[in-house]
Amino acid sequence: MIKAVGLFLLLLLKIVGWALLILLLVLLAVCLLVLFVPVRYDVLVHSERINPIANLRLRLKVNWLLHFIRVAVAYGPGGLSWQIRVAGVDIPKLLARRAEKKRRNADKQKRTPITGEKRRQKRRRIVLICRYRIRNLSRN
């Protein structure tokens, strides 16, 4: 009995040790990526001789880890525009969509409050569905 408990504890320590080793290796790999993968940038400034301040155009692109993270900023007569992408996903648009979805869900909940009777009907439906599935499983 004592030997079995000791073996179980050793097995548990072995699993925890391997998990910690894998975690440390992943952390080391991330640190090496941050240290040795260069940040690439490209800056383009264009201005005309006549009224150079009003016709100034600026474009800045920064990328890291083979375009995994990309930032682009542009300034011109139309104003300032910027874009952040991680793995091809436009982050500001994603955040705006999530905020819009939360706002719509909040508006929907405000419009249609669930009354006590509706809750009871939902529970009854769920119970009936579960009973139906249990009956079908017991027949098989």
Side-chain angles (χ1 to χ4, degrees):
M1 173 78 176
I2 294 175
K3 187 176 181 181
V5 171
L7 288 174
F8 175 73
L9 288 176
L10 285 175
L11 179 67
L12 189 64
L13 285 173
K14 182 179 175 182
I15 293 170
V16 169
W18 278 107
L20 284 174
L21 178 66
I22 290 171
L23 182 68
L24 285 174
L25 287 175
V26 168
L27 189 63
L28 178 68
V30 169
C31 288
L32 290 174
L33 279 174
V34 169
L35 287 174
F36 293 115
V37 175
V39 174
R40 295 184 175 102
Y41 61 92
D42 180 29
V43 179
L44 177 68
V45 179
H46 178 71
S47 180
E48 296 178 5
R49 291 186 183 251
I50 302 170
N51 198 358
I53 300 297
N55 295 321
L56 179 69
R57 294 177 189 197
L58 170 76
R59 187 182 75 204
L60 170 69
K61 291 183 180 180
V62 179
N63 33 9
W64 182 70
L65 201 60
L66 297 172
H67 293 272
F68 183 75
I69 298 175
R70 224 177 336 180
V71 177
V73 178
Y75 176 76
L80 181 71
S81 65
W82 55 280
Q83 183 180 46
I84 300 172
R85 289 183 173 262
V86 176
V89 177
D90 196 357
I91 300 299
K93 286 183 182 177
L94 178 70
L95 294 175
R97 272 191 246 129
R98 283 187 180 174
E100 176 67 22
K101 189 174 181 180
K102 282 184 182 179
R103 188 188 59 77
R104 271 191 269 130
N105 285 342
D107 289 346
K108 186 187 288 185
Q109 287 178 355
K110 286 179 184 176
R111 284 183 286 173
T112 58
I114 296 178
T115 62
E117 182 60 32
K118 285 186 180 181
R119 274 196 197 106
R120 283 191 287 279
Q121 288 175 356
K122 268 187 172 180
R123 287 183 191 149
R124 284 184 200 134
R125 274 188 245 137
I126 291 171
V127 168
L128 290 174
I129 290 171
C130 291
R131 286 181 186 166
Y132 177 75
R133 288 182 181 166
I134 291 171
R135 286 181 191 152
N136 284 344
L137 287 175
S138 63
R139 289 180 185 169
N140 294 335

